[in-house]
Every structure is written in C-alpha cells, then in structure tokens.
C-alpha cells in the first residue's frame, strides 16, 4: 500500500496544525465568496444592471448549477486525482470566475463567472472534509469539520467589512465589482499557500469512483439524511440569496445597515460553528442537527413577520447556524465511511443537494416579485426547515463511528 501523508489533526495531542487551518480556510472561497457574497451584492447589481428580483435570482441558480456540474466532474475524476490537487484546481478556477464577475460588461457574462465560481466550489468543498480529517480521532471530527464552517462565517464577515470599506472609500453604495477583485486576490493567496505549505502524499484511490449510490447506501439512514440535505439546499440557499434585499425592503435598513447585519451574520456563524461541532462530538450529530434546523425555522418566521428588530435578529440567528446542518451532515457521513470512500458517497449526496439548490434563488425571487415583499418567501423557507426537522427525527440511532482512517 502506498504511503499516506496527512495534514489533519494528529490522533495524538498535537493539536491543529497550520496545514489544517489553511485547508479549513479554503471554504471561504467555495462558500463565502462563490455563494454568499452574491446575496450581499444583489441590491447593487440589480440597480446597476436594471434587474428584477426574479432575474437576479437566476444568478444564484446558475451558481448552484455550476456546483452541480462541478460535483459530477469531481465525482468522475476523484479516483484518479489526489484530493488536495482537486482543491488547488478549484481555487484557481474560482479566482478566474471572480475576475470575470469583476469585469463583466453585462449580466450574461456575470452569469458565466458565477457558474465558474460554483463549479470551483465543488472542487474545494467535496475533498475538504477528507483532507482535513485524515488521521483525526472520531471524537474530534466534529470540531475539525466545524472549522470549515467557522471560516465560512468569518469569510462572510470579511466580505461584508471589505465591501463597506470599499464603498466608503469611493463614497458609493452601489459599488460591487471591486469586491470580486478582492475575492480573486484572496483565492490566489490561498492557492499559493495550498501549494507551498500543504504537502500531502499519495492516498489510496477509491475503488469504483464517480457518483456511487452503493457507497452512499453504506451510511445509516442514507435516504432520510439525503432527503433532508437536499431540502436544506432550498431552505438555506433561498434564505441567503435575498436576505440583504429583505433587510433593505422589508426591514427598512439602509444599504450600509444591511451590509453591517450581513457582517454580523458571518461573525455569528464563525463563533457558533466550532461550538456546535464540539457539541456534536459529545451529544451526537442528530441533536445538533435538530437544534440548528429549529433555529433556521424560527429565523425564517422572524424575517417574514417581525418588526425591524426581529428581521435583524432573524437574519443573525440564521447566520449563526446556517452552516451547522451541512457541516453535521458531512461529519455524519464521514463517521460511517472510510476516508477513501467519502468522496464518492458525499459527492453522490451533493448531486441531489445541487439539483434542489438550483431552484431556490429563482423561486424566492419570483415569489417576492409576485407577492410584492419577502413575507411569503420566508414563510415558505421556515415551513421547509420545519419539514426537515421531521425528516431528521426519523434518522436511526447512530452506529459507532469507525476508527480514524
């Protein structure tokens, strides 16, 4: 068997190394930049390109369509390419996509950049839990994978603060192109660090490879957890896509005020993510999943029906737990499969996730246009989160997690 070199937390007491932190930070690119920042910039993009909410929602749909295409590609080549190589390529493609966004002369070109960013996100996110947890004891996986979500939240904070600073410097609340330039620079810096610092030896190839339903079926309760994860793609993706627009139009906040709330959402997510990850190591994945989903349902109600303070509170509440459920799903799958089969099983699950996510932004934007506010869309998202709670309740009692692999 070929020698395997790891970058994850050692099963000894050595703690979390710099390589693991760098790997964890890459999710800033796949999620904070490629997905969430578009929601922050939608009001300015709508004004600049004269778009309706439904038209702007197409951008979010294209992002998830790109993620779906990237998932299929990653699944098909993962048995021949090392996970860390996939992550490096993903970072490079993301930087290209962000630069296209920054220079897009029209909405069609912007959609191309968003699609590339979405596809790149799959190349980063699918192998990240494996690279980060090789050699990690099962009782610490929740904490380590929680770091992936922590950096997503902190990345959202960076995007929000960076956007506010750029707009303040140029005294223009409508600026959005320079934000993509900043994100491209950060993606390239992380690419250099992944090449120079994160050095991973060859790992055993996955037998079979590709989208592999047989590998997913080895996960206890795979049908329930896959259905729940797919529906969350709509609930979470729809919430994030228009939360800044909802804060402005229904919450009555200024653009700078809505940007500040978006920053608070990221900060809250960065703080809560490692806590929920560690709690899941002690209490189990299922209780933490349920708690996060209940919070999402409450957040949706607050944004839909509350006065300004409740809309703001609902947005921050959602931001604090938005990444918890996806992280727990990834950890749940990792608990029940060996490292070598995780990519195939998780990519198959992400295939269903991506198909569902494609409809979310356009659906929410269309509902907002038709009803004249974001009340109905966010009531729908709250109800969907409640439905997911009922599905997760049906998960079987968790089997003992395997030894580190």
């Amino acid at each position: 068997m070929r020698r395997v070199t790891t970058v994850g937390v050692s099963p000894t007491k050595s703690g979390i190394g710099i390589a693991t932190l760098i790997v964890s930070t890459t999710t800033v690119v796949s999620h904070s930049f490629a997905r969430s920042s578009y929601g922050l910039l939608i009001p300015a993009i709508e004004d600049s390109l004269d778009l309706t909410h439904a038209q702007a929602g197409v951008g979010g749909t294209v992002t998830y369509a790109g993620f779906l295409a990237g998932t299929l590609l990653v699944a098909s080549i993962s048995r021949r390419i090392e996970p860390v190589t996939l992550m490096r390529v993903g970072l490079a493609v993301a930087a290209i996509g962000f630069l296209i966004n920054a220079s897009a002369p029209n909405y069609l070109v912007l959609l191309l950049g968003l699609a590339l960013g979405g596809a790149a996100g799959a190349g980063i996110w699918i192998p990240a839990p494996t690279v980060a947890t090789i050699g990690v004891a099962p009782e610490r996986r929740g904490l380590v994978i929680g770091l992936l979500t922590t950096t997503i939240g902190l990345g959202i904070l960076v995007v929000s603060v960076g956007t506010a600073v750029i707009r303040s410097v140029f005294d223009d609340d409508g600026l959005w192109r320079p934000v993509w330039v900043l994100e491209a620079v950060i993606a390239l810096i992380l690419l250099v660090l992944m090449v120079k610092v994160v050095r991973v030896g060859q790992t055993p190839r996955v037998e079979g490879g590709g989208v592999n339903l047989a590998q997913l079926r080895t996960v206890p309760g795979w049908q329930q957890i896959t259905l729940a994860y797919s529906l969350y793609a709509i609930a979470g993706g729809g919430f994030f896509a228009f939360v800044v627009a909802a804060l402005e139009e229904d919450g009555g906040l200024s653009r700078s005020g809505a940007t500040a709330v978006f920053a608070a959402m990221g900060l809250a997510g960065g703080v809560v993510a490692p806590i929920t990850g560690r709690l899941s190591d002690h209490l189990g994945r299922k209780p933490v999943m349920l708690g996060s989903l209940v919070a999402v349902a409450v957040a949706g109600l607050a944004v839909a029906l509350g006065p300004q303070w409740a809309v703001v509170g609902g947005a921050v509440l959602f931001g604090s737990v938005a990444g918890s459920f996806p992280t727990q799903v990834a950890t749940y799958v990792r608990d029940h499969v060996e490292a070598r089969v995780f990519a195939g099983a998780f990519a198959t699950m992400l295939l269903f996730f991506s198909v569902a996510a494609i409809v979310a932004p356009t659906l929410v934007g269309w509902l907002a246009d038709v009803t004249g506010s974001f009340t109905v869309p966010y009531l729908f998202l709250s109800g969907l989160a409640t439905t997911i709670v009922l599905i997760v309740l049906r998960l079987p009692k968790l089997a003992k997690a395997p030894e580190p692999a």
Side-chain angles (χ1 to χ4, degrees), residues 9-11 133-142 144 281 285 402-404:
V9 179
S10 169
T133 61
I134 292 175
V136 175
E139 64 272 14
R140 299 192 68 184
R141 285 183 189 146
V144 173
D281 288 333
R285 315 303 181 202
E403 293 302 312

Side-chain angles (χ1 to χ4, degrees), residues 208-237:
V211 175
N212 195 319
L213 193 59
Q215 292 176 348
L216 179 57
R217 283 174 173 166
T218 64
V219 179
W222 71 272
Q223 292 171 310
Q224 295 98 316
I225 195 66
T226 301
L227 177 59
Y229 194 37
S230 299
L231 292 179
Y232 188 80
I234 301 175

Side-chain angles (χ1 to χ4, degrees), residues 173-256:
D173 279 345
L175 285 183
W176 55 274
R177 295 180 187 276
V179 178
W180 295 112
V181 175
L182 174 64
E183 292 179 352
V185 170
I186 294 175
L188 290 173
I189 291 173
L190 284 172
L191 174 59
V192 171
L193 291 174
M194 286 289 293
V195 172
K196 295 295 185 180
V197 180
V198 182
R199 300 185 179 278
V200 184
Q202 289 184 326
T203 57
R205 292 182 180 179
V206 177
E207 293 297 327
V211 175
N212 195 319
L213 193 59
Q215 292 176 348
L216 179 57
R217 283 174 173 166
T218 64
V219 179
W222 71 272
Q223 292 171 310
Q224 295 98 316
I225 195 66
T226 301
L227 177 59
Y229 194 37
S230 299
L231 292 179
Y232 188 80
I234 301 175
F239 201 115
F240 250 126
F242 284 99
V243 66
V244 174
L247 286 166
E248 287 189 24
E249 296 183 18
D250 291 5
L253 273 69
S254 64
R255 182 154 299 172
S256 60

Side-chain angles (χ1 to χ4, degrees), residues 62-87:
V62 166
T63 298
Y64 283 110
F67 187 84
L68 171 60
T71 297
L72 290 170
L73 178 60
V74 169
S76 66
I77 65 176
S78 60
R79 60 177 173 172
R80 299 189 300 273
I81 300 179
E82 291 294 331
V84 70
T85 301
L86 289 172
M87 295 182 71

